[in-house]
């Protein structure tokens, strides 16, 4: 069935159009703010009367006289200067409940009449790094959006746009090389102690220079020693080391955490080199005349860029780089898959399409924009200047798609902007998207606004294809600052989720110590992970929010444990029924009449039939908090109903109605939490 608010809105709008002879009237229908005035309120007549320069109450009366709502509502009432109040008929509410009960899978909610192909870009972890709290919101908000859209009947194409092709690969590659050299040449992982040395010496240029010079000298010696057939081939140590990693024959295996520590060492070293006089390091390149490898000295801080270029060049000469890249991507995504399963999100390897997938398309992106006279050279870089974007000085703001060859970066290299433009073309041309949604934090809002403007100006995205940036705020610690570890480091998502489960286990032990171990573990996992997700979902996504385990694990307020407890409370009625010789299934079979004469029954019933409205609004605005608020209100209305209306002890006239209200409440909570938000429910707590 269509959401009731949509049915009412259509009929009101039709009546307004008929009265005025127009085709653009808007009923502006919403839920009534005070139930004593009705269930819905239309506010559109006042604005329409102002446009027509007529009396709003008289216009409202004409609209009411044209309305055909006898099958749904009591006679409409006009209030104030022209509000139209609508109250649903009890018989209509009862019939809607029966329709919902007959449709277990979709709870009476129709699929959209206008299904679309919608691409959702979310999560986007980086190569050789563990997922951290900064990835949480994109991952779970994106997942909820996908679930909502799919339930509505849209075809959803998930895209995990991982960062696997930029300079970070060069750093990750060098990190592996330092691990190898530490093991094969120096008896241990020197990068761990040297990372601490570099960190402690931050800001002390003389000590920095001494440490960096020592590292550079050892690096050159190891680089030369690692050559077997020709200079820089890496075949003495690093080639065998990478092949061992790639074939998964290393024992013990190298963990992602190990790769990340080495990556951080290289990053710290490069940051240290940035503030010092140039230190050069040898690398190799082919002489175009002799086709022989020759040495070439480059600034030490540019070495990771050079390695990234070697990967991007491809070819047999750079096979070690290719194998290392494949290992690091595989290692990263395996760890991501573990996190995705813990979070119960619908992402897997089939959805991965990283930056590397677009590498061969980047030159044509630049050339096509040049040919269209949209891309021009500015300070050596190639830029687009989309209309309407200015800096603080009022000058046009550049959208850089190719770096300057004199910028100190890789000569003429491409940027996120170039890759994102290539991704848009792929999603429009190949995936045939009707809409593309990007789920990232608010700090990227300007990037996506300029990206969308550039793609549309270039003619790559027709006007009928929607582009949307779904932004979100920052997760804060209880001190109101960005969420960090006590030492100030980035919180790993795996650690956060493990702590959530451990804390939930403590709550379970306190509340219900007699449960068996497997049940305790199941409940702790569902409550802990659910608490983290629900706390995020229940917040307006554009707002920053304070992360507090105590608050999110509370059994009071709008939290996952409260909702899971509410579900378990409803399900407990089934267990109690057996002890009272009440056969719920038999009593609910072939029920064709409901009695809703208690105010608490009617209030709960009205809320149950509005589930489709909550889904529609949450989906349209990409705001899961609309759904969590609905579910929380449902749990509270059920609590009021349960306290006011005996269920199992009710007489034969009332019990089927009340049992159905209980059953539909449980099914709705379960569907909303599990199917649409990916949060487990439990039968008991």
């Amino acid at each position: 069935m269509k959401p009731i608010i949509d049915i009412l809105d259509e009929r009101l709008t039709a009546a307004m159009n008929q009265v005025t002879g127009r085709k653009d009237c808007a009923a502006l229908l919403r839920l009534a703010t005070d139930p004593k005035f009705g269930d819905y309120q239309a506010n559109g007549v006042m604005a329409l009367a102002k446009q027509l320069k007529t009396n709003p109450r008289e216009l409202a009366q004409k609209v009411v006289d044209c309305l055909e709502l006898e099958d749904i509502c009591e006679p409409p009432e006009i209030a104030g200067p022209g509000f139209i109040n609508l109250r649903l008929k009890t018989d209509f509410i009862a019939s809607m409940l029966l329709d919902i009960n007959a449709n277990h899978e979709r709870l009476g909610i129709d699929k959209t009449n206008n299904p679309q192909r919608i691409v959702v870009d979310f999560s986007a972890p980086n190569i050789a790094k563990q997922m951290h709290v900064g990835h949480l919101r994109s991952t779970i908000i994106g997942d909820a959006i996908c679930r909502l859209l799919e339930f509505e009947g849209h075809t959803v194409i998930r895209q995990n746009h991982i960062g696997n092709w930029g300079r970070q690969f060069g750093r990750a590659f060098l990190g592996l090389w330092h691990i190898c050299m530490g093991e094969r040449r120096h008896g241990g992982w020197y990068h761990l102690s040297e990372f601490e040395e570099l960190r402690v010496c931050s800001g002390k240029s003389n000590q920095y220079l001494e440490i960096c010079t020592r590292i550079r000298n050892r690096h050159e010696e190891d680089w030369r020693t690692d050559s077997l057939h020709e200079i820089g081939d890496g075949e003495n140590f690093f080639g065998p080391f990478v092949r061992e990693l790639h074939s998964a024959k290393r024992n013990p295996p190298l963990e992602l955490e190990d790769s990340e520590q080495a990556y951080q060492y290289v990053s710290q070293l490069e940051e240290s080199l940035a503030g010092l006089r140039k230190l050069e390091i040898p690398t190799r390149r082919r002489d175009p005349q002799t086709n022989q490898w020759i040495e070439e000295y480059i600034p030490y801080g540019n070495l990771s860029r050079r390695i990234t270029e070697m990967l991007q060049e491809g070819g047999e000469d750079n096979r070690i780089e290719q194998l290392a890249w494949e290992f690091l991507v595989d290692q990263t995504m395996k760890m991501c898959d573990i996190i995705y399963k813990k979070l119960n999100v619908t992402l897997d390897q089939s959805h991965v399409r990283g930056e590397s997938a677009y590498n061969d398309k980047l030159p044509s992106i630049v050339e096509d924009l040049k040919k269209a006279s949209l891309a021009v050279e500015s300070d050596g870089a190639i830029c687009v200047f989309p209309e309407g974007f200015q800096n603080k000085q009022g000058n046009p703001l550049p959208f850089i798609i190719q770096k300057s060859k004199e910028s100190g970066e890789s000569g003429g290299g491409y940027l996120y902007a170039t890759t994102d433009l290539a991704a848009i073309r792929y999603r429009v041309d190949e995936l045939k998207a009707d809409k593309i949604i990007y789920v990232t934090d608010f700090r990227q809002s300007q990037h996506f606004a300029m990206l969308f403007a550039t793609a549309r100006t270039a003619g790559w995205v027709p006007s009928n294809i929607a582009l949307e940036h779904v932004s979100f705020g920052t997760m804060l610690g209880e001190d109101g600052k960005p969420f960090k570890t006590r030492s100030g480091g980035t919180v790993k998502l795996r650690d956060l989720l493990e702590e959530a489960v451990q804390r939930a286990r403590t709550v379970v032990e306190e509340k219900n110590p007699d449960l068996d171990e497997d049940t305790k573990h199941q409940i702790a996992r569902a409550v802990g992970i659910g608490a983290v997700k629900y706390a995020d979902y229940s917040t307006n996504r554009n707002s920053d929010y304070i992360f507090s385990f105590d608050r999110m694990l509370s059994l009071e307020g709008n939290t996952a444990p409260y909702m899971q407890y509410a579900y378990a409370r409803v399900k407990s009625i089934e267990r109690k029924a057996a002890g009272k010789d009440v056969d719920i299934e038999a009593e609910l079979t072939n029920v064709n009449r409901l009695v809703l004469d208690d105010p608490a029954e009617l209030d709960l019933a009205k809320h149950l039939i509005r589930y489709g409205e909550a889904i529609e609004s949450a989906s349209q605005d990409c705001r899961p908090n609309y759904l969590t608020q609905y579910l929380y209100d449902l749990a509270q209305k059920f609590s009021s109903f349960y306290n006011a209306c005996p269920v199992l002890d009710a007489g034969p006239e009332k019990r089927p109605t009340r049992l159905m209200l209980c059953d539909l409440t449980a099914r709705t909570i379960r569907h909303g939490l599990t199917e649409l938000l990916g949060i487990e429910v439990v039968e008991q707590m």
Side-chain angles (χ1 to χ4, degrees), residues 57-71:
R57 281 190 67 90
E58 292 179 3
L59 180 60
Q61 186 61 58
K62 292 178 181 178
V63 171
V64 167
D65 291 342
C66 286
L67 269 175
E68 296 181 2
L69 290 175
E70 296 80 6
D71 56 330

Side-chain angles (χ1 to χ4, degrees), residues 8-28:
L8 297 176
D9 188 86
E10 286 176 4
R11 296 195 189 183
L12 273 161
T13 299
M16 292 168 70
N17 287 338
Q18 182 178 342
V19 166
T20 63
R22 298 168 60 140
K23 296 182 179 180
D24 59 349
C25 296
L28 302 181

Side-chain angles (χ1 to χ4, degrees), residues 204-221:
K204 303 173 183 176
S205 59
N206 289 336
Q207 289 178 275
Y208 256 153
L209 179 59
E210 180 183 339
I211 295 169
C212 292
T213 301
R214 167 167 38 95
I215 293 171
R216 176 249 171 256
N217 292 341
R218 184 193 61 226
H219 191 140
E220 178 173 357
E221 181 183 341

Side-chain angles (χ1 to χ4, degrees), residues 84-104:
I84 299 176
N85 293 330
L86 305 174
R87 188 183 303 277
L88 299 177
K89 286 183 174 179
T90 301
D91 288 347
F92 172 77
I93 296 168
S95 68
M96 295 294 283
L97 286 179
L98 290 171
D99 288 344
I100 293 171
N101 185 60
N103 187 339
H104 276 245

Side-chain angles (χ1 to χ4, degrees), residues 267-278:
S267 298
Q268 182 67 49
L269 179 59
E270 291 190 350
E271 289 173 14
S272 304
L273 291 164
L276 301 175
R277 65 176 175 81
K278 296 284 187 178

Side-chain angles (χ1 to χ4, degrees), residues 272-327:
S272 304
L273 291 164
L276 301 175
R277 65 176 175 81
K278 296 284 187 178
L279 284 179
E280 293 193 329
I281 193 77
T283 183
R284 67 174 188 164
R285 67 176 178 86
R286 279 203 183 273
D287 186 319
Q289 294 181 338
T290 65
N291 200 35
Q292 298 297 311
W293 288 110
I294 59 174
E295 288 185 29
E296 178 181 53
Y297 279 81
I298 64 171
Y300 196 7
N302 288 357
L303 185 56
S304 64
R305 299 188 188 108
R306 172 60 63 88
I307 291 169
T308 300
E309 289 174 353
M310 292 166 69
L311 169 68
Q312 295 173 352
E313 288 171 3
E316 193 58 36
D317 287 341
N318 300 313
R319 183 58 179 160
I320 293 178
E321 285 77 11
Q322 178 69 30
L323 291 176
W325 178 79
E326 291 173 3
F327 165 74

Side-chain angles (χ1 to χ4, degrees), residues 397-633:
L397 200 62
F399 193 56
I400 306 174
I401 58 173
Q402 190 171 18
K403 291 177 286 192
S404 165
K405 294 183 179 180
E406 289 77 35
S407 65
E409 299 288 331
S410 301
Y414 304 104
L415 297 97
Y416 293 128
T418 335
T419 304
D420 283 342
L421 285 168
I424 279 187
R425 289 181 82 171
Y426 168 76
R427 293 163 183 180
V428 171
D429 297 342
E430 302 296 328
L431 298 182
K432 307 299 182 185
D434 298 307
K435 183 176 185 178
I436 308 174
I437 297 172
Y438 295 81
V439 186
T440 73
D441 73 70
F442 72 97
R443 291 171 297 180
Q444 298 187 48
S445 295
Q446 182 174 269
H447 167 80
F448 282 105
M450 297 180 77
L451 173 72
F452 298 164
T454 300
R456 289 201 187 279
T457 305
W460 299 341
V461 182
S463 59
N464 63 315
I465 295 178
L467 300 174
E468 183 175 356
H469 178 218
V470 173
S471 63
F472 51 82
T474 303
M475 182 192 297
L476 306 175
E478 296 194 64
D479 58 359
K481 298 178 181 179
F483 195 58
K484 299 283 186 181
T485 63
R486 290 181 179 178
S487 62
T490 302
V491 179
K492 299 294 187 290
L493 195 45
R494 179 183 61 181
D495 296 339
L496 182 82
L497 299 178
E498 288 176 356
E499 183 175 355
V501 173
Q502 290 170 2
R503 286 176 178 255
R505 177 62 184 256
T506 301
V507 174
V508 174
E509 293 282 3
E510 291 174 355
K511 300 292 183 183
N512 208 338
D514 296 330
L515 294 173
D516 62 79
E517 286 300 308
D518 287 346
T519 302
K520 287 178 181 177
H521 175 73
Q522 177 195 1
I523 295 173
R525 186 189 68 245
V527 171
I529 303 298
V532 172
K533 295 181 69 174
Y534 193 93
D536 196 305
Y537 287 145
S538 60
T539 303
N540 180 336
R541 60 173 168 78
N542 285 332
S543 302
D544 297 341
Y545 79 98
I546 292 177
F547 187 94
S548 168
F549 274 124
D550 290 340
R551 187 179 305 140
M552 65 179 56
L553 287 168
S554 174
L555 282 167
E556 298 178 357
N558 191 10
T559 67
Y562 174 82
M563 293 305 308
Q564 290 163 321
Y565 174 73
Y567 175 79
R569 185 183 184 190
V570 182
K571 297 299 287 184
S572 70
I573 295 172
E574 296 179 5
R575 295 191 293 273
K576 293 176 183 177
K580 296 195 174 193
D581 295 325
V582 175
D583 188 337
I584 295 178
E585 185 176 352
E587 293 207 18
L588 290 180
T589 300
N590 299 322
V591 174
N592 54 22
R593 178 176 175 272
L594 299 178
V595 181
L596 299 169
D597 52 14
D598 189 284
E601 292 174 329
L602 194 58
D603 192 37
L604 177 58
K606 287 179 180 178
H607 199 70
L608 282 166
I609 65 174
R610 290 175 181 152
Y611 184 42
E613 296 174 17
I615 292 174
E616 183 177 70
S617 60
S619 176
Q620 284 181 349
D621 292 349
C622 295
R623 294 188 184 277
N625 61 301
Y626 292 170
L627 179 58
T628 57
Q629 187 62 52
Y630 169 87
L631 295 173
Y632 177 60
D633 291 342

